[in-house]
Amino acid sequence: MTTRLGLGLPQMRQYDIGKDVPDVARAAERMGYESLWVFERALFPEPATQGLYGIEGLPWPDTYRSVAEPLVVLALAAAATERARLGTSVLVAPLHVPFQLAKSLATLDAASGGRVIAGFGTGWSHDEYAAASVRPFAERGRALDELIGVCRAVWGPDPVVYDGDVTKIASAVVGPKPARPIPIMLAAGSGRARRRLVDHADGWLPAGIGVEAVTEQWRLLRDLAEERGRTEPIRTVLRVNARYRANGRDGAGRRPFHGGVDQIVEDLAAHSEIGLDEILVDLQGSLRDAEELKDVAAEVYEKARAAGI
């Protein structure tokens, strides 16, 4: 059985969002990609008060200077496609008002015929939390817990009732409803985050940081699920942030998924052996424009399938 493949949609400043998103979405669906994905980066602090991922001294990439709003991008892709699933990997959930986000996702799912995958994380940027002004960074875990609860309530039957720390719904009719239950997937790296996933989510969104690391994270998650008595399967979508280089390999000590198409496919093959359901390949950051994105995405897909991925 082959691993399902998804593609990251263009969101960065080198792309014409209104033109390129529908174009790339249609092309990806024709190529055979089964899902289309977006991520969230709300702003680019200048000067940076915090390193990338919260790591001191690690610079933010220039590609983060302009990242289009993820749900707007997904709406453009939904209108241009018929079959591809539409996912977020990830939305920084606590940056959003829970009720409004739940309603937006439900509307997108209804409009697209039941194709939305809601991928959530807590993020790491203090500047983004300050700008969003929804919840302080210190409350990010509780904020994500509440958002998941609000989504489940809003997407469920009427009357909707919810009594949380911030969100209070006494009793209301809320529509439209999703076309089907929207799966909630989480990026979970810590013990507390894994427990949240096992107890309250449908799936896991790991990052492609290397076969050994992802294999160990997957083992820990499955062991925890067994320990806590979970019987439902955990859906998995691996995010691969590929950095394409036309001249091929990066050389000794290179990072996974950095290099030419053959090197990217070789790394995809290695990660597919972990046994995850799907791999999301995000190529957009290192490419010049939508035409190059389509060309490289097509070559990756063809060679991946030829390699049995």
Side-chain angles (χ1 to χ4, degrees):
M1 180 178 176
T2 58
T3 304
R4 293 194 296 270
L5 293 177
L7 183 70
L9 289 167
Q11 293 177 260
M12 296 175 179
R13 61 179 175 175
Q14 68 267 45
Y15 301 103
D16 180 335
I17 300 302
K19 171 179 170 290
D20 291 343
V21 170
D23 182 32
V24 171
R26 280 190 294 265
E29 191 173 67
R30 287 195 301 268
M31 291 171 201
Y33 285 98
E34 297 182 51
S35 55
L36 302 167
W37 296 82
V38 292
F39 75 104
E40 183 160 42
R41 193 81 284 129
L43 50 72
F44 187 98
E46 197 167 46
T49 59
Q50 184 184 19
L52 185 68
Y53 311 130
I55 300 172
E56 186 176 355
L58 187 61
W60 290 49
D62 279 347
T63 51
Y64 283 176
R65 287 183 178 275
S66 177
V67 177
E69 203 286 325
L71 294 189
V72 172
V73 172
L74 278 191
L76 290 168
T81 56
E82 297 178 354
R83 301 177 306 280
R85 285 169 289 110
L86 307 163
T88 61
S89 178
V90 295
L91 287 181
V92 184
L95 303 184
H96 299 265
V97 175
F99 179 80
Q100 292 176 342
L101 180 58
K103 189 171 173 69
S104 293
L105 289 167
T107 302
L108 181 58
D109 192 73
S112 66
R115 294 189 279 150
V116 170
I117 301 167
F120 298 146
T122 55
W124 46 267
S125 170
H126 295 189
D127 294 280
E128 289 183 338
Y129 272 78
S133 65
V134 176
R135 296 282 284 269
F137 184 78
E139 296 179 11
R140 61 195 181 279
R142 289 173 61 191
L144 178 54
D145 288 336
E146 178 158 328
L147 187 138
I148 293 171
V150 171
C151 284
R152 299 290 193 201
V154 167
W155 300 342
D158 294 322
V160 174
V161 176
Y162 188 83
D163 185 14
D165 293 338
V166 173
T167 307
K168 310 287 184 182
I169 309 172
S171 179
V173 174
V174 183
K177 298 296 184 184
R180 91 297 187 231
I182 298 175
I184 292 177
M185 304 185 73
L186 301 179
S190 69
R192 181 177 296 179
R194 283 192 289 270
R195 288 191 294 274
R196 177 184 295 114
L197 190 159
V198 167
D199 292 345
H200 301 295
D202 301 293
W204 179 44
L205 296 169
I209 54 176
V211 173
E212 292 184 3
V214 177
T215 299
E216 175 62 12
Q217 290 175 357
W218 184 216
R219 183 192 66 78
L220 290 171
L221 189 59
R222 286 180 295 173
D223 287 350
L224 182 64
E226 182 177 2
E227 176 187 317
R228 297 178 78 83
R230 176 173 175 141
T231 57
E232 299 86 359
I234 297 173
R235 296 177 58 169
T236 53
V237 180
L238 177 74
R239 165 173 272 278
V240 166
N241 294 316
R243 189 161 186 83
Y244 170 74
R245 298 191 188 280
N247 60 354
R249 296 175 180 269
D250 272 4
R254 65 165 196 92
R255 296 171 60 189
F257 305 105
H258 283 47
V261 168
D262 290 341
Q263 186 62 66
I264 291 170
V265 170
E266 183 179 316
D267 290 336
L268 286 173
H271 283 74
S272 72
E273 295 297 321
I274 299 171
L276 305 180
D277 299 320
E278 188 165 356
I279 301 176
L280 145 65
V281 185
D282 196 333
L283 295 155
Q284 63 173 308
S286 57
L287 302 181
R288 293 186 304 271
D289 53 31
E291 290 306 312
E292 188 177 31
L293 176 54
K294 289 187 293 182
D295 289 345
V296 175
E299 189 177 357
V300 167
Y301 186 85
E302 291 165 5
K303 289 189 173 182
R305 290 310 187 209
I309 299 171

